[in-house]
Short mmCIF file of all heavy atoms in Angstrom, two decimals:
data_model
loop_
_atom_site.label_atom_id
_atom_site.label_comp_id
_atom_site.label_asym_id
_atom_site.label_seq_id
_atom_site.Cartn_x
_atom_site.Cartn_y
_atom_site.Cartn_z
N VAL A 80 74.70 103.83 245.76
CA VAL A 80 73.78 104.79 245.20
C VAL A 80 72.52 104.12 244.63
O VAL A 80 71.42 104.57 244.98
CB VAL A 80 74.54 105.63 244.12
CG1 VAL A 80 73.53 106.48 243.43
CG2 VAL A 80 75.58 106.53 244.81
N LEU A 81 72.71 103.06 243.88
CA LEU A 81 71.55 102.43 243.14
C LEU A 81 70.75 101.65 244.06
O LEU A 81 69.46 101.90 244.19
CB LEU A 81 72.05 101.73 241.96
CG LEU A 81 72.72 102.37 240.76
CD1 LEU A 81 73.21 101.43 239.76
CD2 LEU A 81 71.67 103.35 240.15
N VAL A 82 71.29 100.68 244.68
CA VAL A 82 70.54 99.87 245.66
C VAL A 82 70.14 100.53 246.92
O VAL A 82 68.97 100.46 247.30
CB VAL A 82 71.29 98.49 245.78
CG1 VAL A 82 70.57 97.54 246.75
CG2 VAL A 82 71.56 97.79 244.59
N GLY A 83 71.13 101.08 247.47
CA GLY A 83 70.79 101.77 248.80
C GLY A 83 69.90 102.86 248.57
O GLY A 83 68.97 103.05 249.29
N GLY A 84 70.20 103.67 247.61
CA GLY A 84 69.27 104.88 247.26
C GLY A 84 67.79 104.52 246.98
O GLY A 84 66.90 105.07 247.56
N SER A 85 67.61 103.41 246.09
CA SER A 85 66.33 103.03 245.75
C SER A 85 65.62 102.44 246.96
O SER A 85 64.40 102.47 247.19
CB SER A 85 66.28 102.09 244.60
OG SER A 85 67.04 100.91 244.86
N SER A 86 66.36 101.64 247.80
CA SER A 86 65.82 101.13 249.01
C SER A 86 65.32 102.19 249.90
O SER A 86 64.18 102.09 250.52
CB SER A 86 66.81 100.31 249.78
OG SER A 86 67.26 99.07 248.92
N VAL A 87 66.04 103.24 250.17
CA VAL A 87 65.71 104.36 251.02
C VAL A 87 64.50 105.06 250.40
O VAL A 87 63.44 105.39 251.11
CB VAL A 87 66.82 105.26 251.21
CG1 VAL A 87 66.38 106.56 251.95
CG2 VAL A 87 67.94 104.61 252.01
N TRP A 88 64.45 105.22 249.10
CA TRP A 88 63.38 105.93 248.42
C TRP A 88 62.11 105.27 248.55
O TRP A 88 61.12 105.89 248.85
CB TRP A 88 63.78 106.19 247.03
CG TRP A 88 62.74 106.94 246.21
CD1 TRP A 88 61.77 106.46 245.47
CD2 TRP A 88 62.65 108.33 246.15
NE1 TRP A 88 61.05 107.43 244.87
CE2 TRP A 88 61.56 108.65 245.31
CE3 TRP A 88 63.34 109.46 246.67
CZ2 TRP A 88 61.12 109.86 244.98
CZ3 TRP A 88 62.94 110.65 246.35
CH2 TRP A 88 61.85 110.92 245.52
N PHE A 89 62.11 103.92 248.29
CA PHE A 89 60.89 103.09 248.21
C PHE A 89 60.40 102.55 249.50
O PHE A 89 59.17 102.25 249.75
CB PHE A 89 61.02 102.09 247.17
CG PHE A 89 61.07 102.56 245.77
CD1 PHE A 89 62.18 102.48 245.04
CD2 PHE A 89 60.00 103.24 245.22
CE1 PHE A 89 62.22 102.96 243.70
CE2 PHE A 89 59.96 103.79 243.95
CZ PHE A 89 61.10 103.62 243.19
N PHE A 90 61.25 102.23 250.47
CA PHE A 90 60.94 101.36 251.65
C PHE A 90 61.16 101.94 252.95
O PHE A 90 60.65 101.61 253.90
CB PHE A 90 61.74 100.06 251.60
CG PHE A 90 61.51 99.24 250.25
CD1 PHE A 90 62.44 99.04 249.37
CD2 PHE A 90 60.24 98.72 249.99
CE1 PHE A 90 62.26 98.40 248.21
CE2 PHE A 90 59.97 98.05 248.79
CZ PHE A 90 60.98 97.87 247.91
N VAL A 91 61.97 103.05 253.09
CA VAL A 91 62.23 103.64 254.40
C VAL A 91 61.17 104.79 254.60
O VAL A 91 61.00 105.60 253.73
CB VAL A 91 63.68 104.21 254.47
CG1 VAL A 91 63.89 104.88 255.84
CG2 VAL A 91 64.74 103.08 254.31
N PRO A 92 60.54 104.68 255.76
CA PRO A 92 59.52 105.70 256.06
C PRO A 92 60.08 107.09 256.03
O PRO A 92 61.28 107.30 256.36
CB PRO A 92 59.00 105.36 257.47
CG PRO A 92 59.58 104.04 257.80
CD PRO A 92 60.73 103.72 256.83
N ALA A 93 59.27 108.14 255.75
CA ALA A 93 59.56 109.49 255.72
C ALA A 93 60.06 109.89 257.03
O ALA A 93 59.71 109.30 258.16
CB ALA A 93 58.54 110.35 255.13
N GLY A 94 60.78 111.08 257.20
CA GLY A 94 61.11 111.60 258.46
C GLY A 94 62.52 111.21 258.84
O GLY A 94 63.41 110.98 258.01
N TRP A 95 62.71 111.15 260.24
CA TRP A 95 64.08 110.80 260.65
C TRP A 95 64.57 109.41 260.17
O TRP A 95 65.87 109.23 259.99
CB TRP A 95 64.19 110.94 262.25
CG TRP A 95 63.42 109.88 262.95
CD1 TRP A 95 62.17 109.93 263.42
CD2 TRP A 95 63.94 108.64 263.43
NE1 TRP A 95 61.75 108.83 264.11
CE2 TRP A 95 62.85 107.98 264.00
CE3 TRP A 95 65.14 107.92 263.20
CZ2 TRP A 95 63.00 106.67 264.59
CZ3 TRP A 95 65.21 106.68 263.79
CH2 TRP A 95 64.20 106.09 264.45
N PRO A 96 63.79 108.43 260.05
CA PRO A 96 64.42 107.09 259.45
C PRO A 96 64.99 107.27 258.18
O PRO A 96 66.13 106.81 257.91
CB PRO A 96 63.20 106.18 259.42
CG PRO A 96 62.17 106.68 260.47
CD PRO A 96 62.34 108.13 260.33
N LYS A 97 64.40 108.04 257.17
CA LYS A 97 65.01 108.30 255.97
C LYS A 97 66.23 109.09 256.04
O LYS A 97 67.14 108.80 255.35
CB LYS A 97 63.94 108.90 255.09
CG LYS A 97 64.25 108.92 253.55
CD LYS A 97 63.11 109.36 252.67
CE LYS A 97 62.00 108.41 252.63
NZ LYS A 97 61.80 107.75 251.42
N LEU A 98 66.17 110.05 256.89
CA LEU A 98 67.43 110.87 257.09
C LEU A 98 68.57 110.09 257.57
O LEU A 98 69.74 110.18 257.07
CB LEU A 98 67.11 112.08 258.06
CG LEU A 98 68.13 112.99 258.36
CD1 LEU A 98 68.69 113.72 257.12
CD2 LEU A 98 67.92 113.94 259.47
N VAL A 99 68.29 109.27 258.58
CA VAL A 99 69.40 108.37 259.13
C VAL A 99 69.94 107.44 258.05
O VAL A 99 71.12 107.30 257.91
CB VAL A 99 68.90 107.66 260.37
CG1 VAL A 99 69.96 106.50 260.74
CG2 VAL A 99 68.61 108.54 261.48
N ALA A 100 68.97 106.94 257.21
CA ALA A 100 69.54 105.97 256.20
C ALA A 100 70.33 106.70 255.22
O ALA A 100 71.35 106.18 254.72
CB ALA A 100 68.26 105.38 255.63
N LEU A 101 69.90 107.92 254.82
CA LEU A 101 70.62 108.61 253.88
C LEU A 101 72.08 109.02 254.34
O LEU A 101 73.05 109.04 253.63
CB LEU A 101 69.82 109.88 253.44
CG LEU A 101 68.67 109.65 252.60
CD1 LEU A 101 67.95 111.01 252.33
CD2 LEU A 101 69.10 108.93 251.25
N ILE A 102 72.09 109.43 255.67
CA ILE A 102 73.45 109.67 256.26
C ILE A 102 74.31 108.45 256.22
O ILE A 102 75.54 108.65 256.00
CB ILE A 102 73.21 110.20 257.72
CG1 ILE A 102 72.57 111.62 257.65
CG2 ILE A 102 74.52 110.21 258.61
CD1 ILE A 102 72.07 112.14 259.06
N LEU A 103 73.78 107.36 256.53
CA LEU A 103 74.56 106.02 256.50
C LEU A 103 75.09 105.84 255.20
O LEU A 103 76.16 105.35 254.94
CB LEU A 103 73.82 104.86 257.12
CG LEU A 103 73.50 104.96 258.55
CD1 LEU A 103 72.51 103.86 259.05
CD2 LEU A 103 74.78 104.91 259.36
N LEU A 104 74.25 105.91 254.16
CA LEU A 104 74.66 105.76 252.73
C LEU A 104 75.68 106.76 252.36
O LEU A 104 76.73 106.41 251.70
CB LEU A 104 73.47 105.88 251.77
CG LEU A 104 72.44 104.78 251.83
CD1 LEU A 104 71.33 105.11 250.96
CD2 LEU A 104 73.02 103.43 251.56
N ALA A 105 75.61 108.02 252.73
CA ALA A 105 76.58 109.04 252.51
C ALA A 105 77.86 108.67 253.18
O ALA A 105 79.01 108.84 252.55
CB ALA A 105 76.10 110.36 252.95
N TYR A 106 77.81 108.24 254.42
CA TYR A 106 79.03 107.81 255.09
C TYR A 106 79.74 106.64 254.36
O TYR A 106 80.97 106.59 254.19
CB TYR A 106 78.79 107.47 256.58
CG TYR A 106 79.98 106.94 257.28
CD1 TYR A 106 81.12 107.80 257.55
CD2 TYR A 106 80.20 105.58 257.49
CE1 TYR A 106 82.15 107.36 258.14
CE2 TYR A 106 81.34 105.07 258.08
CZ TYR A 106 82.32 105.98 258.45
OH TYR A 106 83.47 105.57 259.02
N GLY A 107 78.89 105.69 253.99
CA GLY A 107 79.49 104.49 253.25
C GLY A 107 80.22 104.98 251.99
O GLY A 107 81.31 104.46 251.67
N THR A 108 79.54 105.82 251.18
CA THR A 108 80.14 106.31 250.01
C THR A 108 81.41 107.12 250.33
O THR A 108 82.48 106.96 249.72
CB THR A 108 79.18 107.31 249.34
OG1 THR A 108 77.97 106.52 249.10
CG2 THR A 108 79.67 107.73 247.92
N TRP A 109 81.39 108.00 251.36
CA TRP A 109 82.54 108.82 251.66
C TRP A 109 83.70 107.88 252.15
O TRP A 109 84.87 108.00 251.72
CB TRP A 109 82.21 109.64 252.87
CG TRP A 109 83.39 110.39 253.43
CD1 TRP A 109 83.87 111.55 252.95
CD2 TRP A 109 84.24 109.93 254.49
NE1 TRP A 109 85.00 111.93 253.69
CE2 TRP A 109 85.22 111.07 254.62
CE3 TRP A 109 84.20 108.94 255.33
CZ2 TRP A 109 86.20 110.92 255.64
CZ3 TRP A 109 85.23 108.76 256.33
CH2 TRP A 109 86.28 109.76 256.39
N PHE A 110 83.38 106.75 252.92
CA PHE A 110 84.42 105.82 253.46
C PHE A 110 85.09 105.22 252.21
O PHE A 110 86.33 105.05 252.14
CB PHE A 110 83.74 104.82 254.38
CG PHE A 110 84.76 103.84 254.94
CD1 PHE A 110 85.60 104.27 256.03
CD2 PHE A 110 84.95 102.64 254.34
CE1 PHE A 110 86.52 103.39 256.54
CE2 PHE A 110 85.88 101.72 254.83
CZ PHE A 110 86.72 102.16 255.90
N VAL A 111 84.31 104.61 251.29
CA VAL A 111 84.85 103.85 250.16
C VAL A 111 85.77 104.86 249.30
O VAL A 111 86.92 104.52 248.90
CB VAL A 111 83.80 103.27 249.29
CG1 VAL A 111 84.39 102.81 247.94
CG2 VAL A 111 83.11 102.19 250.03
N LEU A 112 85.24 106.00 249.07
CA LEU A 112 86.05 107.02 248.27
C LEU A 112 87.21 107.53 248.86
O LEU A 112 88.25 107.93 248.13
CB LEU A 112 85.13 108.21 247.77
CG LEU A 112 83.97 107.81 246.77
CD1 LEU A 112 83.10 109.00 246.58
CD2 LEU A 112 84.56 107.17 245.61
N HIS A 113 87.35 107.53 250.23
CA HIS A 113 88.49 107.99 250.89
C HIS A 113 89.58 106.95 251.27
O HIS A 113 90.50 107.24 251.91
CB HIS A 113 88.20 108.76 252.08
CG HIS A 113 87.63 110.15 251.84
ND1 HIS A 113 86.39 110.36 251.35
CD2 HIS A 113 88.21 111.33 251.83
CE1 HIS A 113 86.29 111.69 251.15
NE2 HIS A 113 87.40 112.32 251.42
#
Side-chain angles (χ1 to χ4, degrees):
V80 171
L81 294 174
V82 176
S85 62
S86 295
V87 169
W88 181 266
F89 292 112
F90 302 112
V91 177
W95 69 267
K97 195 169 287 242
L98 178 64
V99 169
L101 289 172
I102 289 170
L103 291 173
L104 291 175
Y106 175 74
T108 303
W109 175 87
F110 181 82
V111 168
L112 292 175
H113 281 81

